[in-house]
């Protein structure tokens, strides 16, 4: 009986063109194997702890089985990849035998990579979904921010009276490009139906800073869509970015986020005139990230009349509900 010639172990694994839901993979193998190999086995897992390179069944193809072809090989749709997630991948080559069994190589070394943020096409899908949930437009006149007395004391004593931009946290969609990358000051603008004024309650603190809408929302400011999400509740949130034209934040947004028309969009609008009109969507909660420092002297600071410990409504580092059909798209959460 003729001795079976062993397959070489794939090596020099290279990952390229990584997006939030796909990647390309290539490797090297012995030249004589190129014409013999009929299939590739690719094993992918999330990186978890120090044993991420230990696969459950290293001698059995447990993941993707693909017919051998030219490299690099595009991997898309075979797994439900999540954005901004660390993965481990290993490769095995194989020759299919007449009896249907496989002669296989040893598994390659494990290579790690991280998937990317949502691309513009994915954000457009989120934007399309958000538009259907926005509801009718209501007038408003101020942006506002609630915080603790300690926060505003710190702003006065340590920041020269300016609320300074800080990095966006990881709340909302995991793949939003602004998470951990764009600095800003979060503001609200939603109003109560019966009064047209900001709500009396807030989960963020008893002191409220209010600033005229006209100071921030005007023709010298650009508006961008950044996220649409919920937190296992009936409420849905839309994250918008307001960036003065030509600013550093504006440059980031132009290359990462869909831009909205200030005068015609379903979330937040400015209508010019002798008495400009400002409107917000009624059926969603808007979170507006302003990318520049805000001086306390440009607004007013006052105590709210309602409750300020409604922590169930806080969105700080809140995780998006992955099962919601209203605000999820097909490329991950």
């Amino acid at each position: 009986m003729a001795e079976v010639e062993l397959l070489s172990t794939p090596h020099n694994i290279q990952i390229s063109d990584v997006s939030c839901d796909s990647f390309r993979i290539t490797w090297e193998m012995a030249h004589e194997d190129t014409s013999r190999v009929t299939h590739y086995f690719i094993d992918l897992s999330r990186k978890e702890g120090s044993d991420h390179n230990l696969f459950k069944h290293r001698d059995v193809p447990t993941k993707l089985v693909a017919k051998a072809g030219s490299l690099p090989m595009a991997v898309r749709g075979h797994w439900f990849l999540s954005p901004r997630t660390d993965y481990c991948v290993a490769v095995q080559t194989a020759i299919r035998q007449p009896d249907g069994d496989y002669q296989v190589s040893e598994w390659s070394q494990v290579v790690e990579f991280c998937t990317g943020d949502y691309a513009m096409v994915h954000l457009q899908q989120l934007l399309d979904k958000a538009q259907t949930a926005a509801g009718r437009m209501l007038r408003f006149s101020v942006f506002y921010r609630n915080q603790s007395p300690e926060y505003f004391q710190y702003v006065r004593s340590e920041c020269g009276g300016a609320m300074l931009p800080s990095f966006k946290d990881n709340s909302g969609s995991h793949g939003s490009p602004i998470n951990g990358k764009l600095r800003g000051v979060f503001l609200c603008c939603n109003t109560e139906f019966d009064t047209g004024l900001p709500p009396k309650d807030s989960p963020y603190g008893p002191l409220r800073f209010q600033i005229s809408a006209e100071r921030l929302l005007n023709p010298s400011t650009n508006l961008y869509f950044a996220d649409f999400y919920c937190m296992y509740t009936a409420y849905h949130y839309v994250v918008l970015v307001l960036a003065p034209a030509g600013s550093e934040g504006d440059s980031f947004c132009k290359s990462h986020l869909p831009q909205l028309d200030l005068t015609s969009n379903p979330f937040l609008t400015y209508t010019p005139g002798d008495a400009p009109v400002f409107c917000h969507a009624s059926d969603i909660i808007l979170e507006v990230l302003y990318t520049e420092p805000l001086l306390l002297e440009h607004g007013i600071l006052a105590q709210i009349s309602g409750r300020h410990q409604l922590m169930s409504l806080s969105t700080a580092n809140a995780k998006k509900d992955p099962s919601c059909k209203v605000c999820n798209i097909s490329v991950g959460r």
Side-chain angles (χ1 to χ4, degrees):
M1 183 175 180
E3 184 177 345
V4 175
E5 186 176 353
L6 298 179
L7 288 168
S8 62
T9 303
H11 61 282
N12 193 24
I13 311 299
Q14 300 288 329
I15 305 294
S16 62
D17 299 334
V18 180
S19 72
C20 67
D21 65 343
S22 66
F23 62 94
R24 296 175 73 84
I25 184 169
T26 189
W27 59 88
E28 296 179 10
M29 52 186 165
H31 178 70
E32 58 269 23
D33 289 347
T34 305
S35 59
R36 298 195 301 143
V37 167
T38 62
H39 289 78
Y40 304 142
F41 301 155
I42 300 177
D43 205 346
L44 183 86
S45 64
R46 287 178 183 247
K47 180 180 177 182
E48 295 179 358
S50 59
D51 294 331
H52 58 266
N53 59 340
L54 300 181
F55 293 100
K56 292 182 179 179
H57 309 287
R58 296 190 66 84
D59 59 339
V60 179
T62 59
K63 302 293 183 180
L64 171 63
V65 179
K67 288 186 176 180
S70 60
L71 298 175
M73 171 185 171
V75 179
R76 177 189 295 274
H78 303 91
W79 294 283
F80 191 74
L81 299 179
S82 295
R84 289 192 178 193
T85 303
D86 292 318
Y87 288 96
C88 305
V89 64
V91 176
Q92 189 178 48
T93 58
I95 301 173
R96 184 165 185 171
Q97 307 296 308
D99 62 0
D101 202 358
Y102 289 93
Q103 177 192 342
V104 297
S105 71
E106 292 292 324
W107 282 100
S108 71
Q109 70 180 75
V110 174
V111 174
E112 300 175 3
F113 69 99
C114 184
T115 47
D117 298 331
Y118 285 157
M120 199 73 79
V121 62
H122 305 122
L123 288 168
Q124 186 61 52
Q125 292 175 28
L126 267 185
L127 172 57
D128 292 342
K129 280 180 166 282
Q131 288 176 335
T132 64
R136 65 190 181 95
M137 303 296 281
L138 299 177
R139 289 195 179 194
F140 77 102
S141 60
V142 296
F143 290 102
Y144 56 93
R145 175 178 174 85
N146 275 71
Q147 283 289 344
S148 66
E150 293 77 15
Y151 168 82
F152 288 112
Q153 179 57 39
Y154 179 83
V155 167
R156 290 192 183 94
S157 62
E158 304 295 331
C159 304
M163 293 184 289
L164 302 179
S166 58
F167 281 116
K168 163 73 170 63
D169 65 11
N170 290 316
S171 61
S173 299
H174 195 48
S176 176
I178 70 172
N179 290 353
K181 294 183 178 180
L182 183 64
R183 294 177 185 267
V185 180
F186 261 117
L187 303 166
C188 300
C189 63
N190 288 81
T191 58
E192 294 183 326
F193 287 98
D194 54 346
T195 66
L197 299 175
K200 297 177 181 179
D201 302 325
S202 171
Y204 299 106
L207 290 184
R208 174 173 291 163
F209 170 78
Q210 292 188 174
I211 187 169
S212 168
E214 191 171 6
R215 183 176 283 273
L216 305 184
L217 189 59
N218 54 62
S220 64
T221 306
N222 288 326
L223 180 66
Y224 300 89
F225 171 85
D227 201 3
F228 178 46
Y229 71 98
C230 69
M231 305 182 300
Y232 301 91
T233 67
Y235 303 109
H236 276 86
Y237 298 80
V238 166
V239 180
L240 303 177
V241 180
L242 271 176
S247 65
E248 182 178 348
D250 188 45
S251 297
F252 177 92
C253 292
K254 279 187 182 300
S255 59
H256 292 87
L257 304 176
Q259 186 170 352
L260 302 175
D261 185 339
L262 276 181
T263 63
S264 179
N265 72 79
F267 311 118
L268 185 69
T269 60
Y270 156 82
T271 303
D274 293 336
V277 176
F278 305 92
C279 293
H280 70 82
S282 60
D283 292 349
I284 53 176
I285 299 175
L286 291 178
E287 299 181 311
V288 181
L289 189 70
Y290 187 71
T291 62
E292 300 301 306
L294 286 173
L295 294 174
L296 293 181
E297 65 185 37
H298 288 164
I300 59 172
L301 193 63
Q303 183 97 13
I304 62 172
S305 59
R307 294 173 294 171
H308 56 85
Q309 294 180 330
L310 306 173
M311 294 310 296
S312 63
L313 297 180
S314 172
T315 61
N317 286 304
K319 301 303 180 184
K320 182 173 183 175
D321 178 1
S323 65
C324 179
K325 295 181 180 180
V326 174
C327 61
N328 281 298
I329 56 177
S330 61
V331 295
R333 312 305 183 220

